[in-house]
Structure formats: C-alpha cells, structure tokens
Amino acid sequence: KMQRALEIDGDSDTSHYRMGVMLRLEGHFDLAEQHFREAVRVNAAHLEAAQELQTFEARRKSQSNLSSSLAQT
C-alpha cells in the first residue's frame, strides 16, 4: 500500500517517512535512509524523518569509531 501511495503522490513526505520506517523495521537500512532523506527534501520541517537521519548518522559514526579502535589493537 505504501508503494502505491508513493506512485500516486511521490512528493508526500508522510508516505516517504512511513515507507522508511517499514523498510528500517525490515532491515533495509539503505533504502529506509533514502526515504527519510526524501521526506526531509519534500518537507524540511519533518521532525521524525530528520530524527531518523540523525540516528543513521550516529550509528555510522559509532561504527566508524569502533572500527578505528579495533584496527589500533
């Protein structure tokens, strides 16, 4: 249903956000991030999508720091 909503209205921040949540829950993190970015592109004030993107960035930074720490040992 979400894919259909995006086909009808590809500029719906809510549809992109909801699709991102569904994809994240299914473990499709790259696709989820793309939909969160699109939600924010359509509506820069979409707080939930922006928070999801911040979470992705924090995880990416944390993983990078962990990889650096492991490489030094």
Side-chain angles (χ1 to χ4, degrees):
K1 289 183 179 182
M2 290 306 306
Q3 187 62 38
R4 181 75 178 128
L6 287 171
E7 290 171 5
I8 293 170
D9 184 7
D11 279 339
S12 169
D13 59 329
T14 301
S15 294
H16 279 289
Y17 171 72
R18 289 181 179 163
M19 180 66 98
V21 170
M22 288 175 35
L23 289 165
R24 178 179 48 78
L25 292 173
E26 293 175 355
H28 302 287
F29 302 113
D30 290 340
L31 289 173
E33 185 176 6
Q34 289 175 16
H35 281 281
F36 294 135
R37 287 193 187 287
E38 190 62 16
V40 171
R41 184 194 67 78
V42 172
N43 176 6
H46 197 294
L47 181 62
E48 293 89 350
Q51 288 172 333
E52 291 282 355
L53 289 172
Q54 288 176 343
T55 300
F56 274 102
E57 290 298 321
R59 285 185 185 145
R60 201 174 283 121
K61 183 177 179 181
S62 177
Q63 289 173 347
S64 177
N65 290 342
L66 179 60
S67 295
S68 294
S69 294
L70 290 175
Q72 294 175 358
T73 58

Short mmCIF file of all heavy atoms in Angstrom, two decimals:
data_model
loop_
_atom_site.label_atom_id
_atom_site.label_comp_id
_atom_site.label_asym_id
_atom_site.label_seq_id
_atom_site.Cartn_x
_atom_site.Cartn_y
_atom_site.Cartn_z
N LYS A 1 0.82 -1.19 0.00
CA LYS A 1 0.00 0.00 0.00
C LYS A 1 0.86 1.26 0.00
O LYS A 1 0.51 2.23 -0.63
CB LYS A 1 -0.93 0.01 1.20
CG LYS A 1 -2.04 -1.00 1.11
CD LYS A 1 -2.97 -0.89 2.28
CE LYS A 1 -4.09 -1.90 2.15
NZ LYS A 1 -5.04 -1.80 3.22
N MET A 2 1.99 1.22 0.74
CA MET A 2 2.85 2.40 0.79
C MET A 2 3.46 2.66 -0.58
O MET A 2 3.58 3.81 -0.99
CB MET A 2 3.95 2.23 1.84
CG MET A 2 3.46 2.25 3.27
SD MET A 2 2.48 3.70 3.69
CE MET A 2 3.56 5.02 3.23
N GLN A 3 3.88 1.60 -1.26
CA GLN A 3 4.46 1.79 -2.60
C GLN A 3 3.43 2.43 -3.51
O GLN A 3 3.75 3.32 -4.29
CB GLN A 3 4.94 0.46 -3.17
CG GLN A 3 5.68 0.59 -4.47
CD GLN A 3 6.97 1.40 -4.33
OE1 GLN A 3 7.67 1.30 -3.34
NE2 GLN A 3 7.26 2.21 -5.33
N ARG A 4 2.19 2.01 -3.39
CA ARG A 4 1.11 2.58 -4.21
C ARG A 4 0.91 4.06 -3.87
O ARG A 4 0.73 4.88 -4.76
CB ARG A 4 -0.19 1.79 -3.97
CG ARG A 4 -1.34 2.28 -4.77
CD ARG A 4 -1.23 1.88 -6.23
NE ARG A 4 -2.43 2.36 -6.92
CZ ARG A 4 -2.42 3.09 -8.03
NH1 ARG A 4 -1.26 3.39 -8.59
NH2 ARG A 4 -3.52 3.49 -8.58
N ALA A 5 0.98 4.38 -2.59
CA ALA A 5 0.83 5.78 -2.18
C ALA A 5 1.93 6.63 -2.80
O ALA A 5 1.69 7.76 -3.23
CB ALA A 5 0.85 5.90 -0.66
N LEU A 6 3.15 6.10 -2.86
CA LEU A 6 4.26 6.85 -3.45
C LEU A 6 4.09 6.98 -4.96
O LEU A 6 4.50 7.98 -5.56
CB LEU A 6 5.59 6.18 -3.12
CG LEU A 6 6.04 6.35 -1.67
CD1 LEU A 6 7.24 5.47 -1.39
CD2 LEU A 6 6.36 7.80 -1.37
N GLU A 7 3.48 5.97 -5.60
CA GLU A 7 3.22 6.06 -7.03
C GLU A 7 2.20 7.15 -7.32
O GLU A 7 2.31 7.87 -8.31
CB GLU A 7 2.72 4.71 -7.56
CG GLU A 7 3.79 3.63 -7.57
CD GLU A 7 3.23 2.26 -7.90
OE1 GLU A 7 2.02 2.14 -8.20
OE2 GLU A 7 3.99 1.28 -7.82
N ILE A 8 1.22 7.29 -6.44
CA ILE A 8 0.18 8.30 -6.62
C ILE A 8 0.71 9.69 -6.31
O ILE A 8 0.49 10.64 -7.06
CB ILE A 8 -1.04 7.98 -5.74
CG1 ILE A 8 -1.71 6.70 -6.23
CG2 ILE A 8 -2.03 9.14 -5.71
CD1 ILE A 8 -2.77 6.16 -5.30
N ASP A 9 1.43 9.81 -5.20
CA ASP A 9 1.94 11.11 -4.76
C ASP A 9 3.37 10.95 -4.29
O ASP A 9 3.63 10.79 -3.10
CB ASP A 9 1.06 11.69 -3.65
CG ASP A 9 1.49 13.09 -3.23
OD1 ASP A 9 2.40 13.66 -3.90
OD2 ASP A 9 0.94 13.62 -2.26
N GLY A 10 4.31 10.99 -5.22
CA GLY A 10 5.72 10.81 -4.91
C GLY A 10 6.32 11.93 -4.09
O GLY A 10 7.42 11.81 -3.59
N ASP A 11 5.59 13.03 -3.94
CA ASP A 11 6.08 14.15 -3.15
C ASP A 11 5.39 14.23 -1.79
O ASP A 11 5.30 15.29 -1.19
CB ASP A 11 5.88 15.47 -3.90
CG ASP A 11 6.98 15.70 -4.93
OD1 ASP A 11 8.06 15.09 -4.79
OD2 ASP A 11 6.76 16.47 -5.86
N SER A 12 4.97 13.09 -1.28
CA SER A 12 4.34 13.05 0.03
C SER A 12 5.39 12.74 1.09
O SER A 12 5.94 11.64 1.12
CB SER A 12 3.24 11.98 0.07
OG SER A 12 2.81 11.78 1.40
N ASP A 13 5.68 13.72 1.92
CA ASP A 13 6.67 13.49 2.98
C ASP A 13 6.21 12.39 3.93
O ASP A 13 7.01 11.56 4.36
CB ASP A 13 6.96 14.78 3.74
CG ASP A 13 5.74 15.39 4.40
OD1 ASP A 13 4.62 15.23 3.88
OD2 ASP A 13 5.90 16.04 5.44
N THR A 14 4.93 12.34 4.21
CA THR A 14 4.40 11.32 5.12
C THR A 14 4.56 9.92 4.53
O THR A 14 4.95 9.00 5.23
CB THR A 14 2.91 11.61 5.43
OG1 THR A 14 2.82 12.90 6.02
CG2 THR A 14 2.34 10.57 6.37
N SER A 15 4.28 9.77 3.24
CA SER A 15 4.44 8.46 2.60
C SER A 15 5.89 8.02 2.61
O SER A 15 6.19 6.85 2.88
CB SER A 15 3.89 8.49 1.17
OG SER A 15 2.50 8.70 1.18
N HIS A 16 6.79 8.94 2.31
CA HIS A 16 8.22 8.59 2.34
C HIS A 16 8.66 8.23 3.75
O HIS A 16 9.41 7.26 3.95
CB HIS A 16 9.07 9.74 1.79
CG HIS A 16 9.11 9.77 0.30
ND1 HIS A 16 9.79 8.84 -0.45
CD2 HIS A 16 8.53 10.63 -0.57
CE1 HIS A 16 9.64 9.13 -1.73
NE2 HIS A 16 8.87 10.21 -1.83
N TYR A 17 8.21 8.98 4.73
CA TYR A 17 8.57 8.68 6.11
C TYR A 17 8.06 7.29 6.52
O TYR A 17 8.82 6.48 7.06
CB TYR A 17 8.01 9.74 7.06
CG TYR A 17 8.17 9.35 8.50
CD1 TYR A 17 9.43 9.37 9.11
CD2 TYR A 17 7.09 8.92 9.25
CE1 TYR A 17 9.59 8.99 10.43
CE2 TYR A 17 7.24 8.53 10.57
CZ TYR A 17 8.50 8.57 11.15
OH TYR A 17 8.65 8.17 12.46
N ARG A 18 6.81 7.02 6.24
CA ARG A 18 6.23 5.72 6.63
C ARG A 18 6.91 4.57 5.91
O ARG A 18 7.14 3.51 6.47
CB ARG A 18 4.73 5.72 6.36
CG ARG A 18 3.99 6.62 7.34
CD ARG A 18 2.52 6.60 7.10
NE ARG A 18 1.84 7.46 8.07
CZ ARG A 18 0.62 7.89 7.93
NH1 ARG A 18 -0.09 7.55 6.86
NH2 ARG A 18 0.07 8.66 8.85
N MET A 19 7.24 4.78 4.63
CA MET A 19 7.96 3.74 3.87
C MET A 19 9.33 3.53 4.49
O MET A 19 9.79 2.39 4.63
CB MET A 19 8.10 4.15 2.40
CG MET A 19 8.84 3.12 1.58
SD MET A 19 7.96 1.57 1.42
CE MET A 19 7.21 1.81 -0.16
N GLY A 20 9.99 4.61 4.90
CA GLY A 20 11.29 4.49 5.55
C GLY A 20 11.20 3.70 6.84
O GLY A 20 12.05 2.85 7.12
N VAL A 21 10.17 3.94 7.63
CA VAL A 21 10.00 3.20 8.89
C VAL A 21 9.81 1.72 8.59
O VAL A 21 10.44 0.86 9.22
CB VAL A 21 8.82 3.76 9.71
CG1 VAL A 21 8.48 2.85 10.88
CG2 VAL A 21 9.14 5.17 10.20
N MET A 22 8.95 1.40 7.64
CA MET A 22 8.71 -0.01 7.30
C MET A 22 9.99 -0.69 6.83
O MET A 22 10.31 -1.81 7.25
CB MET A 22 7.62 -0.11 6.22
CG MET A 22 6.25 0.22 6.74
SD MET A 22 4.93 0.25 5.47
CE MET A 22 5.38 -1.01 4.33
N LEU A 23 10.73 -0.01 5.98
CA LEU A 23 11.97 -0.59 5.47
C LEU A 23 13.01 -0.76 6.58
O LEU A 23 13.71 -1.78 6.62
CB LEU A 23 12.53 0.29 4.34
CG LEU A 23 11.74 0.24 3.04
CD1 LEU A 23 12.13 1.39 2.14
CD2 LEU A 23 11.94 -1.11 2.34
N ARG A 24 13.09 0.21 7.48
CA ARG A 24 14.03 0.09 8.60
C ARG A 24 13.68 -1.11 9.47
O ARG A 24 14.54 -1.89 9.86
CB ARG A 24 14.02 1.37 9.44
CG ARG A 24 14.95 1.29 10.66
CD ARG A 24 14.98 2.55 11.49
NE ARG A 24 13.69 3.12 11.83
CZ ARG A 24 12.88 2.64 12.80
NH1 ARG A 24 13.21 1.59 13.49
NH2 ARG A 24 11.74 3.26 13.06
N LEU A 25 12.40 -1.29 9.75
CA LEU A 25 11.97 -2.41 10.58
C LEU A 25 12.25 -3.75 9.91
O LEU A 25 12.47 -4.76 10.59
CB LEU A 25 10.47 -2.29 10.90
CG LEU A 25 10.09 -1.12 11.81
CD1 LEU A 25 8.58 -1.00 11.92
CD2 LEU A 25 10.72 -1.30 13.19
N GLU A 26 12.26 -3.77 8.57
CA GLU A 26 12.56 -4.98 7.82
C GLU A 26 14.06 -5.17 7.61
O GLU A 26 14.48 -6.15 7.01
CB GLU A 26 11.83 -4.96 6.48
CG GLU A 26 10.32 -5.05 6.63
CD GLU A 26 9.60 -4.91 5.30
OE1 GLU A 26 10.25 -4.65 4.26
OE2 GLU A 26 8.36 -5.05 5.30
N GLY A 27 14.86 -4.22 8.09
CA GLY A 27 16.31 -4.34 7.97
C GLY A 27 16.89 -3.80 6.69
O GLY A 27 18.07 -4.00 6.41
N HIS A 28 16.11 -3.08 5.90
CA HIS A 28 16.59 -2.50 4.64
C HIS A 28 17.03 -1.06 4.92
O HIS A 28 16.38 -0.09 4.52
CB HIS A 28 15.48 -2.54 3.58
CG HIS A 28 14.97 -3.91 3.30
ND1 HIS A 28 15.70 -4.84 2.60
CD2 HIS A 28 13.81 -4.51 3.65
CE1 HIS A 28 15.00 -5.96 2.52
NE2 HIS A 28 13.85 -5.78 3.16
N PHE A 29 18.16 -0.93 5.59
CA PHE A 29 18.59 0.36 6.11
C PHE A 29 18.93 1.38 5.04
O PHE A 29 18.60 2.56 5.17
CB PHE A 29 19.75 0.17 7.09
CG PHE A 29 19.39 -0.73 8.23
CD1 PHE A 29 19.98 -1.96 8.37
CD2 PHE A 29 18.42 -0.35 9.16
CE1 PHE A 29 19.63 -2.80 9.42
CE2 PHE A 29 18.06 -1.16 10.21
CZ PHE A 29 18.68 -2.41 10.35
N ASP A 30 19.59 0.96 3.97
CA ASP A 30 19.96 1.91 2.91
C ASP A 30 18.72 2.49 2.24
O ASP A 30 18.63 3.69 2.00
CB ASP A 30 20.86 1.25 1.87
CG ASP A 30 22.25 0.95 2.40
OD1 ASP A 30 22.65 1.58 3.41
OD2 ASP A 30 22.94 0.10 1.82
N LEU A 31 17.76 1.62 1.94
CA LEU A 31 16.52 2.10 1.31
C LEU A 31 15.73 2.97 2.28
O LEU A 31 15.15 3.99 1.87
CB LEU A 31 15.66 0.92 0.86
CG LEU A 31 16.17 0.13 -0.34
CD1 LEU A 31 15.32 -1.10 -0.58
CD2 LEU A 31 16.18 1.01 -1.58
N ALA A 32 15.70 2.59 3.54
CA ALA A 32 14.99 3.39 4.55
C ALA A 32 15.58 4.78 4.61
O ALA A 32 14.85 5.78 4.61
CB ALA A 32 15.07 2.70 5.91
N GLU A 33 16.90 4.85 4.65
CA GLU A 33 17.56 6.16 4.72
C GLU A 33 17.21 7.02 3.50
O GLU A 33 16.99 8.22 3.64
CB GLU A 33 19.08 5.98 4.83
CG GLU A 33 19.81 7.28 5.03
CD GLU A 33 21.30 7.09 5.25
OE1 GLU A 33 21.82 5.96 5.13
OE2 GLU A 33 21.97 8.10 5.54
N GLN A 34 17.14 6.41 2.33
CA GLN A 34 16.77 7.17 1.14
C GLN A 34 15.37 7.78 1.28
O GLN A 34 15.16 8.94 0.91
CB GLN A 34 16.80 6.26 -0.09
CG GLN A 34 18.18 5.86 -0.51
CD GLN A 34 18.17 4.85 -1.66
OE1 GLN A 34 17.15 4.66 -2.33
NE2 GLN A 34 19.29 4.19 -1.87
N HIS A 35 14.45 7.02 1.85
CA HIS A 35 13.08 7.54 2.00
C HIS A 35 13.03 8.63 3.07
O HIS A 35 12.30 9.61 2.92
CB HIS A 35 12.11 6.40 2.31
CG HIS A 35 11.73 5.64 1.08
ND1 HIS A 35 10.81 6.10 0.17
CD2 HIS A 35 12.19 4.47 0.60
CE1 HIS A 35 10.70 5.23 -0.82
NE2 HIS A 35 11.53 4.23 -0.58
N PHE A 36 13.80 8.48 4.13
CA PHE A 36 13.84 9.55 5.14
C PHE A 36 14.43 10.82 4.54
O PHE A 36 13.94 11.92 4.79
CB PHE A 36 14.64 9.12 6.37
CG PHE A 36 14.01 7.99 7.15
CD1 PHE A 36 14.78 6.94 7.59
CD2 PHE A 36 12.66 7.99 7.43
CE1 PHE A 36 14.21 5.90 8.32
CE2 PHE A 36 12.07 6.96 8.15
CZ PHE A 36 12.85 5.91 8.59
N ARG A 37 15.46 10.68 3.72
CA ARG A 37 16.05 11.85 3.06
C ARG A 37 15.03 12.52 2.13
O ARG A 37 14.95 13.74 2.06
CB ARG A 37 17.31 11.46 2.28
CG ARG A 37 18.48 11.16 3.16
CD ARG A 37 19.79 11.07 2.39
NE ARG A 37 20.84 10.62 3.28
CZ ARG A 37 21.39 11.35 4.23
NH1 ARG A 37 20.99 12.59 4.42
NH2 ARG A 37 22.35 10.85 5.00
N GLU A 38 14.28 11.70 1.43
CA GLU A 38 13.28 12.25 0.52
C GLU A 38 12.17 12.96 1.30
O GLU A 38 11.69 14.02 0.87
CB GLU A 38 12.69 11.13 -0.35
CG GLU A 38 11.82 11.62 -1.47
CD GLU A 38 12.53 12.50 -2.49
OE1 GLU A 38 13.78 12.53 -2.54
OE2 GLU A 38 11.83 13.19 -3.25
N ALA A 39 11.77 12.42 2.44
CA ALA A 39 10.76 13.07 3.27
C ALA A 39 11.23 14.46 3.70
O ALA A 39 10.47 15.43 3.66
CB ALA A 39 10.42 12.21 4.48
N VAL A 40 12.50 14.55 4.09
CA VAL A 40 13.06 15.84 4.52
C VAL A 40 13.23 16.78 3.33
O VAL A 40 13.04 17.98 3.45
CB VAL A 40 14.39 15.62 5.28
CG1 VAL A 40 15.09 16.94 5.53
CG2 VAL A 40 14.12 14.89 6.59
N ARG A 41 13.56 16.22 2.17
CA ARG A 41 13.67 17.07 0.97
C ARG A 41 12.32 17.71 0.65
O ARG A 41 12.24 18.90 0.35
CB ARG A 41 14.15 16.25 -0.23
CG ARG A 41 14.38 17.12 -1.48
CD ARG A 41 14.53 16.29 -2.74
NE ARG A 41 13.30 15.62 -3.12
CZ ARG A 41 12.25 16.20 -3.73
NH1 ARG A 41 12.27 17.49 -4.01
NH2 ARG A 41 11.17 15.51 -4.05
N VAL A 42 11.27 16.92 0.74
CA VAL A 42 9.93 17.41 0.43
C VAL A 42 9.45 18.39 1.50
O VAL A 42 8.84 19.40 1.20
CB VAL A 42 8.94 16.23 0.29
CG1 VAL A 42 7.51 16.72 0.18
CG2 VAL A 42 9.31 15.35 -0.89
N ASN A 43 9.77 18.07 2.75
CA ASN A 43 9.32 18.92 3.87
C ASN A 43 10.46 19.01 4.88
O ASN A 43 10.63 18.12 5.72
CB ASN A 43 8.07 18.32 4.51
CG ASN A 43 7.61 19.10 5.72
OD1 ASN A 43 8.15 20.16 6.04
ND2 ASN A 43 6.63 18.58 6.42
N ALA A 44 11.22 20.08 4.80
CA ALA A 44 12.39 20.26 5.68
C ALA A 44 12.01 20.29 7.15
O ALA A 44 12.86 20.09 8.01
CB ALA A 44 13.13 21.53 5.30
N ALA A 45 10.75 20.51 7.46
CA ALA A 45 10.29 20.58 8.85
C ALA A 45 9.79 19.23 9.36
O ALA A 45 9.24 19.16 10.46
CB ALA A 45 9.18 21.62 8.98
N HIS A 46 9.99 18.15 8.60
CA HIS A 46 9.52 16.83 9.03
C HIS A 46 10.46 16.31 10.12
O HIS A 46 11.50 15.73 9.85
CB HIS A 46 9.46 15.86 7.85
CG HIS A 46 8.62 14.66 8.12
ND1 HIS A 46 8.96 13.71 9.05
CD2 HIS A 46 7.44 14.26 7.59
CE1 HIS A 46 8.03 12.77 9.07
NE2 HIS A 46 7.10 13.09 8.19
N LEU A 47 10.08 16.55 11.36
CA LEU A 47 10.92 16.27 12.51
C LEU A 47 11.28 14.79 12.65
O LEU A 47 12.45 14.44 12.88
CB LEU A 47 10.23 16.75 13.79
CG LEU A 47 11.00 16.54 15.10
CD1 LEU A 47 12.31 17.31 15.08
CD2 LEU A 47 10.13 16.96 16.27
N GLU A 48 10.30 13.91 12.49
CA GLU A 48 10.57 12.48 12.68
C GLU A 48 11.57 11.95 11.66
O GLU A 48 12.47 11.18 12.00
CB GLU A 48 9.26 11.67 12.62
CG GLU A 48 8.32 11.95 13.77
CD GLU A 48 7.36 13.09 13.48
OE1 GLU A 48 7.54 13.81 12.45
OE2 GLU A 48 6.43 13.28 14.28
N ALA A 49 11.42 12.36 10.40
CA ALA A 49 12.35 11.91 9.37
C ALA A 49 13.75 12.44 9.64
O ALA A 49 14.74 11.72 9.49
CB ALA A 49 11.87 12.35 7.99
N ALA A 50 13.84 13.69 10.09
CA ALA A 50 15.14 14.27 10.43
C ALA A 50 15.78 13.52 11.59
O ALA A 50 16.99 13.28 11.58
CB ALA A 50 14.98 15.75 10.76
N GLN A 51 14.98 13.12 12.56
CA GLN A 51 15.50 12.36 13.70
C GLN A 51 15.99 10.99 13.26
O GLN A 51 17.03 10.51 13.74
CB GLN A 51 14.43 12.22 14.78
CG GLN A 51 14.15 13.51 15.51
CD GLN A 51 12.96 13.42 16.45
OE1 GLN A 51 12.05 12.62 16.26
NE2 GLN A 51 12.99 14.24 17.49
N GLU A 52 15.27 10.36 12.34
CA GLU A 52 15.73 9.06 11.81
C GLU A 52 17.08 9.22 11.13
O GLU A 52 17.98 8.39 11.31
CB GLU A 52 14.70 8.50 10.82
CG GLU A 52 13.40 8.05 11.45
CD GLU A 52 13.49 6.70 12.15
OE1 GLU A 52 14.53 6.03 12.08
OE2 GLU A 52 12.48 6.32 12.77
N LEU A 53 17.24 10.29 10.36
CA LEU A 53 18.52 10.53 9.68
C LEU A 53 19.64 10.77 10.68
O LEU A 53 20.76 10.29 10.49
CB LEU A 53 18.40 11.70 8.71
CG LEU A 53 17.55 11.43 7.47
CD1 LEU A 53 17.34 12.72 6.68
CD2 LEU A 53 18.18 10.35 6.60
N GLN A 54 19.35 11.48 11.77
CA GLN A 54 20.35 11.71 12.81
C GLN A 54 20.76 10.39 13.44
O GLN A 54 21.93 10.17 13.75
CB GLN A 54 19.82 12.66 13.88
CG GLN A 54 19.73 14.09 13.41
CD GLN A 54 19.11 15.00 14.46
OE1 GLN A 54 18.47 14.56 15.40
NE2 GLN A 54 19.31 16.30 14.29
N THR A 55 19.80 9.49 13.62
CA THR A 55 20.10 8.17 14.19
C THR A 55 21.01 7.39 13.25
O THR A 55 21.97 6.75 13.70
CB THR A 55 18.79 7.40 14.46
OG1 THR A 55 18.00 8.14 15.38
CG2 THR A 55 19.08 6.02 15.02
N PHE A 56 20.73 7.43 11.96
CA PHE A 56 21.59 6.75 10.98
C PHE A 56 23.01 7.30 11.04
O PHE A 56 23.99 6.55 11.02
CB PHE A 56 21.03 6.90 9.56
CG PHE A 56 20.01 5.86 9.19
CD1 PHE A 56 18.67 6.18 9.20
CD2 PHE A 56 20.38 4.58 8.84
CE1 PHE A 56 17.71 5.24 8.85
CE2 PHE A 56 19.45 3.62 8.50
CZ PHE A 56 18.10 3.96 8.51
N GLU A 57 23.13 8.62 11.11
CA GLU A 57 24.45 9.26 11.16
C GLU A 57 25.19 8.88 12.45
O GLU A 57 26.40 8.60 12.42
CB GLU A 57 24.33 10.78 11.04
CG GLU A 57 23.93 11.25 9.67
CD GLU A 57 24.93 10.88 8.59
OE1 GLU A 57 26.15 10.95 8.84
OE2 GLU A 57 24.49 10.51 7.49
N ALA A 58 24.49 8.85 13.56
CA ALA A 58 25.11 8.49 14.84
C ALA A 58 25.61 7.04 14.80
O ALA A 58 26.71 6.74 15.28
CB ALA A 58 24.12 8.68 15.98
N ARG A 59 24.81 6.16 14.23
CA ARG A 59 25.23 4.74 14.12
C ARG A 59 26.45 4.62 13.22
O ARG A 59 27.37 3.87 13.51
CB ARG A 59 24.09 3.89 13.58
CG ARG A 59 23.02 3.63 14.59
CD ARG A 59 21.97 2.69 14.03
NE ARG A 59 20.90 2.54 14.98
CZ ARG A 59 19.64 2.40 14.65
NH1 ARG A 59 19.28 2.37 13.37
NH2 ARG A 59 18.71 2.27 15.57
N ARG A 60 26.42 5.36 12.11
CA ARG A 60 27.55 5.30 11.17
C ARG A 60 28.83 5.79 11.85
O ARG A 60 29.89 5.18 11.72
CB ARG A 60 27.21 6.17 9.95
CG ARG A 60 28.02 5.82 8.74
CD ARG A 60 27.55 6.59 7.51
NE ARG A 60 26.32 6.00 6.98
CZ ARG A 60 25.17 6.65 6.82
NH1 ARG A 60 25.07 7.92 7.15
NH2 ARG A 60 24.12 6.06 6.32
N LYS A 61 28.72 6.87 12.63
CA LYS A 61 29.88 7.42 13.33
C LYS A 61 30.37 6.45 14.40
O LYS A 61 31.57 6.22 14.55
CB LYS A 61 29.52 8.76 13.97
CG LYS A 61 30.67 9.44 14.65
CD LYS A 61 30.25 10.80 15.19
CE LYS A 61 31.42 11.47 15.90
NZ LYS A 61 31.06 12.76 16.46
N SER A 62 29.44 5.84 15.12
CA SER A 62 29.79 4.88 16.16
C SER A 62 30.50 3.67 15.57
O SER A 62 31.50 3.20 16.11
CB SER A 62 28.53 4.45 16.91
OG SER A 62 28.83 3.47 17.86
N GLN A 63 30.00 3.17 14.46
CA GLN A 63 30.63 2.02 13.80
C GLN A 63 32.02 2.38 13.29
O GLN A 63 32.95 1.58 13.38
CB GLN A 63 29.76 1.53 12.65
CG GLN A 63 28.51 0.84 13.12
CD GLN A 63 27.58 0.49 11.98
OE1 GLN A 63 27.73 0.96 10.84
NE2 GLN A 63 26.57 -0.32 12.27
N SER A 64 32.17 3.60 12.80
CA SER A 64 33.47 4.05 12.30
C SER A 64 34.48 4.12 13.45
O SER A 64 35.63 3.69 13.31
CB SER A 64 33.33 5.40 11.63
OG SER A 64 34.58 5.88 11.22
N ASN A 65 34.04 4.68 14.58
CA ASN A 65 34.93 4.77 15.74
C ASN A 65 35.31 3.39 16.25
O ASN A 65 36.45 3.16 16.63
CB ASN A 65 34.26 5.58 16.86
CG ASN A 65 34.16 7.06 16.52
OD1 ASN A 65 34.84 7.54 15.65
ND2 ASN A 65 33.27 7.75 17.22
N LEU A 66 34.36 2.46 16.26
CA LEU A 66 34.63 1.11 16.71
C LEU A 66 35.63 0.43 15.78
O LEU A 66 36.58 -0.21 16.23
CB LEU A 66 33.34 0.30 16.78
CG LEU A 66 33.48 -1.16 17.22
CD1 LEU A 66 34.09 -1.26 18.61
CD2 LEU A 66 32.14 -1.85 17.16
N SER A 67 35.44 0.60 14.48
CA SER A 67 36.37 0.02 13.50
C SER A 67 37.77 0.59 13.69
O SER A 67 38.76 -0.15 13.62
CB SER A 67 35.89 0.29 12.08
OG SER A 67 34.68 -0.37 11.84
N SER A 68 37.88 1.88 13.94
CA SER A 68 39.19 2.51 14.15
C SER A 68 39.85 1.96 15.41
O SER A 68 41.04 1.68 15.42
CB SER A 68 39.04 4.02 14.26
OG SER A 68 38.60 4.57 13.05
N SER A 69 39.07 1.79 16.46
CA SER A 69 39.60 1.27 17.72
C SER A 69 40.09 -0.16 17.55
O SER A 69 41.16 -0.53 18.06
CB SER A 69 38.54 1.31 18.81
OG SER A 69 38.20 2.63 19.12
N LEU A 70 39.35 -0.97 16.83
CA LEU A 70 39.74 -2.36 16.62
C LEU A 70 40.99 -2.45 15.75
O LEU A 70 41.82 -3.33 15.95
CB LEU A 70 38.60 -3.13 15.98
CG LEU A 70 37.38 -3.38 16.88
CD1 LEU A 70 36.27 -4.04 16.08
CD2 LEU A 70 37.76 -4.21 18.09
N ALA A 71 41.12 -1.54 14.78
CA ALA A 71 42.29 -1.55 13.91
C ALA A 71 43.57 -1.20 14.66
O ALA A 71 44.66 -1.63 14.29
CB ALA A 71 42.07 -0.60 12.75
N GLN A 72 43.43 -0.42 15.73
CA GLN A 72 44.59 0.00 16.50
C GLN A 72 45.08 -1.06 17.47
O GLN A 72 46.19 -0.97 17.97
CB GLN A 72 44.29 1.29 17.27
CG GLN A 72 44.05 2.47 16.35
CD GLN A 72 43.64 3.70 17.13
OE1 GLN A 72 43.49 3.68 18.33
NE2 GLN A 72 43.41 4.80 16.40
N THR A 73 44.25 -2.07 17.73
CA THR A 73 44.66 -3.10 18.71
C THR A 73 45.40 -4.22 18.06
O THR A 73 45.49 -4.43 16.94
CB THR A 73 43.44 -3.67 19.46
OG1 THR A 73 42.52 -4.20 18.52
CG2 THR A 73 42.82 -2.62 20.32
#
